[in-house]
Amino acid sequence: MEIRTPNWLVGTERVPGIDWLCQVVTWQPRCMSWDEAFAVGYEEWSAHMTEDVAFYVGLAREADGPVVELAVGNGRVAIPVARATGQRVIGLDSSPAMLEQARIRASNVGVVLDLRAADMRDLRLDEPAGLVYCPFRALLHLATWADRRRTFERVAASLRPGGRFAWNAFAFDHHIAARVDGVHQDEPQPHTIRYSVGDNRIDITRDGGARSSLWWATKNEWLGLLDIAGLELEALYGGFAGEPFADNSTEYVFVARRPVIE
């Protein structure tokens, strides 16, 4: 069956390389790179990532006000944050399948999370947050500068003065790209990664056909987003142990803050 592009989408910007799931918000196409098929086996896919949990728990312990996780997924971070701090944790995700996993996992360990089906670009809260965080490189699912700018602006508007915004993202490493580009891998699940350097994009395709894409950004692009949103950089680390960010660092770990106006 031939699928035709609706007339109202002709001429709109589309980022190549992925089958899009689009929403229409105020007459603009809104696209996300998450494929719901990735929810199957997600726990196995994310099992290697553990070192970020203590880092985000530490920030949550210091938060004055609600704690919000963007792209909460299956609750991998939100559940230990809630258990360790006793803080109210609001978890947002646009994936129904991931939210259901988070509900089940939280219920199994007796944790109550405030889970909401929502797009991080449209973040709105009933009261200002003390901490908003986005783990596991989830901001890289936002394909365009406009998407990221909107997200950062919504985060800034949702924080109380002095509130923090923290996230992590990989720093592009051409050595890693050359080693894994196009090479089939069996772990954590059978998949192939392909790099589109001109588009700053990585496509991750499982053997069953599910595809998810990430768009990397430079340090200056992240700093520019903070500046536009009116947030101040508190710290940039090269890892979750607080090591300094250096020329050979492969992970950005950012902590920013909404200024306190005297």
Side-chain angles (χ1 to χ4, degrees), residues 6 24 40 68-69 102 162 167 179 196-197 206 235 237:
V24 182
V40 179
V68 180
E69 180 174 333
W167 76 96
R179 186 171 68 248
S196 296
V197 177
R206 288 186 177 179
Y237 303 114

Side-chain angles (χ1 to χ4, degrees), residues 6-248:
N7 290 334
W8 55 268
L9 272 179
V10 173
T12 59
E13 178 185 5
R14 289 173 64 86
V15 182
I18 190 165
D19 296 327
W20 289 101
L21 170 65
C22 292
Q23 310 167 47
V24 182
V25 179
T26 62
W27 303 104
Q28 296 296 322
R30 305 287 299 281
C31 301
M32 294 293 289
S33 70
W34 173 259
D35 187 329
E36 280 286 81
F38 263 81
V40 179
Y42 180 83
E43 189 163 357
E44 181 182 357
W45 187 265
S46 61
H48 71 284
M49 177 58 82
T50 58
E51 58 184 338
D52 59 340
V53 174
F55 176 78
Y56 289 115
V57 166
L59 292 178
R61 289 185 190 276
E62 300 172 356
D64 178 19
V67 174
V68 180
E69 180 174 333
L70 305 180
V72 68
N74 67 356
R76 179 186 64 86
V77 179
I79 291 171
V81 165
R83 295 182 74 176
T85 67
Q87 291 272 32
R88 176 191 178 199
V89 178
I90 301 169
L92 275 64
D93 209 294
S94 60
S95 166
M98 296 309 302
L99 287 170
E100 182 60 21
Q101 288 187 30
R103 288 189 187 95
I104 293 171
R105 295 183 80 231
S107 176
N108 286 344
V109 296
V111 169
V112 177
L113 298 177
D114 184 351
L115 296 172
R116 305 179 184 182
D119 188 322
M120 68 175 74
R121 294 167 291 192
D122 297 320
L123 174 64
R124 280 174 174 75
L125 303 174
D126 299 329
E127 62 177 302
L131 170 68
V132 177
Y133 67 95
C134 189
F136 206 18
R137 305 168 174 169
L139 286 176
L140 300 186
H141 286 293
L142 298 172
T144 69
W145 170 266
D147 288 331
R148 293 179 184 178
R149 174 176 178 168
R150 180 178 176 87
T151 300
F152 273 60
E153 289 174 338
R154 289 310 313 154
V155 168
S158 300
L159 287 170
R160 61 180 53 192
R164 285 166 157 168
F165 178 34
W167 76 96
N168 64 285
F170 68 78
F172 176 75
D173 186 318
H174 64 281
H175 297 292
I176 294 175
R179 186 171 68 248
V180 304
D181 184 32
V183 178
H184 184 269
Q185 301 178 60
D186 292 323
E187 299 294 337
Q189 293 179 339
H191 70 283
T192 303
I193 295 175
R194 295 193 181 278
Y195 283 75
S196 296
V197 177
D199 204 32
N200 284 24
R201 192 184 77 247
I202 296 175
D203 297 325
I204 305 169
T205 306
R206 288 186 177 179
D207 283 7
R211 180 187 292 183
S212 185
S213 294
L214 303 169
W215 286 262
W216 68 82
T218 66
K219 179 177 72 174
N220 283 337
E221 286 175 311
W222 292 121
L223 294 175
L225 286 163
L226 290 179
D227 185 56
I228 286 175
L231 296 170
E232 296 177 344
L233 178 68
E234 179 179 315
L236 169 56
Y237 303 114
F240 295 105
E243 53 266 53
F245 187 83
D247 287 345
N248 61 347

